[in-house]
Amino acid sequence: HGATEMDEVGAEALPRRTPAPAWLPTAKGEEGDFCLRSSDCAAGLCCARHFWSKICKPVLREGQVCTRHRRKGTHGLEIFQRCQCAEGLACRLQREHGPADASRLHTCQRH
């Protein structure tokens, strides 16, 4: 009877392979909608962690604060992820007038 148990497990796993959960509209996710990956979101949005789920958030524009990942492993622990900077922008340390490390803020800046 081992084979029948395997069949049941196989059938159980099947629905997960569908591209989108049944409750997700086929339209691209708007800001704040749940998502699995950035391709689920409308243009200009990315899929990022928000608490323990993931939602579509806006891609960062010039001058917005961004997250600089020094070590690849650390961003897995973030509860509030930010999107990357938009095309043509890089996440760089903001050079403010004032004490050298007054803010240590990274913002999206033109290359």
Side-chain angles (χ1 to χ4, degrees):
H1 74 272
T4 53
E5 278 175 37
M6 282 306 292
D7 291 345
E8 283 172 37
V9 171
E12 199 70 37
L14 265 180
R16 289 198 194 134
R17 283 196 206 113
T18 53
W23 47 265
L24 260 189
T26 44
K28 294 284 191 178
E30 295 301 323
E31 190 173 337
D33 288 351
F34 289 104
C35 57
L36 296 172
R37 59 191 74 83
S38 293
S39 56
D40 296 338
C41 302
L45 301 174
C46 87
C47 190
R49 189 190 308 283
H50 188 77
F51 286 116
W52 287 271
S53 52
K54 291 171 87 180
I55 62 170
C56 296
K57 297 185 182 185
V59 168
L60 301 175
R61 303 272 153 227
E62 190 171 3
Q64 288 189 298
V65 176
C66 51
T67 309
R68 189 67 191 253
H69 299 303
R70 281 177 201 78
R71 291 188 303 285
K72 274 284 176 266
T74 53
H75 62 263
L77 307 170
E78 280 181 76
I79 293 184
F80 300 105
Q81 281 180 328
R82 291 189 177 106
C83 291
Q84 298 76 26
C85 298
E87 278 305 302
L89 300 177
C91 188
R92 293 215 198 100
L93 191 58
Q94 197 168 337
R95 291 192 230 346
E96 286 292 324
H97 26 273
D101 83 11
S103 64
R104 303 305 285 169
L105 267 188
H106 285 82
T107 57
C108 293
Q109 300 166 32
R110 300 219 164 268
H111 286 308

